[in-house]
Amino acid sequence: MSTAVCTTPSLASLSIPARTAAATVPPAVRRGAWQIAPGEAMSLKARAASVLRVKQGRVWITPDATLANPSEDLVLAPGESMTVAAGQRIVMEAWDGYGATYTWDQA
């Protein structure tokens, strides 16, 4: 399922609130998906062309800038998706205090 490499050195050093929001996410949404807690940020680099789909919550995404595409922050809501090119890196953070659930699949 996952075709990304997490490039965040260590999430253990981050101050992350308890994942109480996960209990409110229906199990059907969590199944086959990843979660990002409130206040958590991660860096992902696609090994192959991939699609990030938001299942629950909202995420704030900053792709790396290139000569062809300057960096532009994006906010994706449930049901929205974005394609991440092979080799592209994104930084993703939960947008609000509830965290988010997402999938990352090969395009």
Side-chain angles (χ1 to χ4, degrees):
M1 176 171 130
S2 178
T3 58
V5 176
C6 184
T7 58
T8 304
S10 171
L11 296 178
S13 63
L14 294 176
S15 174
I16 299 172
R19 288 186 177 222
T20 55
T24 64
V25 178
V29 172
R30 291 194 306 257
R31 195 173 303 118
W34 301 91
Q35 290 185 287
I36 185 166
E40 183 178 359
M42 64 177 49
S43 173
L44 297 171
K45 184 174 182 180
R47 290 183 180 162
S50 302
V51 177
L52 171 74
R53 288 184 179 87
V54 178
K55 303 294 250 175
Q56 176 269 331
R58 293 185 294 167
V59 294
W60 176 10
I61 299 168
T62 305
D64 277 353
T66 65
L67 290 175
N69 297 313
S71 183
E72 179 180 304
D73 288 352
L74 306 165
V75 176
L76 298 180
E80 295 182 325
S81 64
M82 74 174 283
T83 300
V84 182
Q88 183 180 17
R89 187 180 73 96
I90 63 169
V91 175
M92 180 172 65
E93 182 176 349
W95 176 256
D96 52 32
Y98 301 103
T101 304
Y102 66 95
T103 60
W104 178 273
D105 297 303
Q106 195 164 5

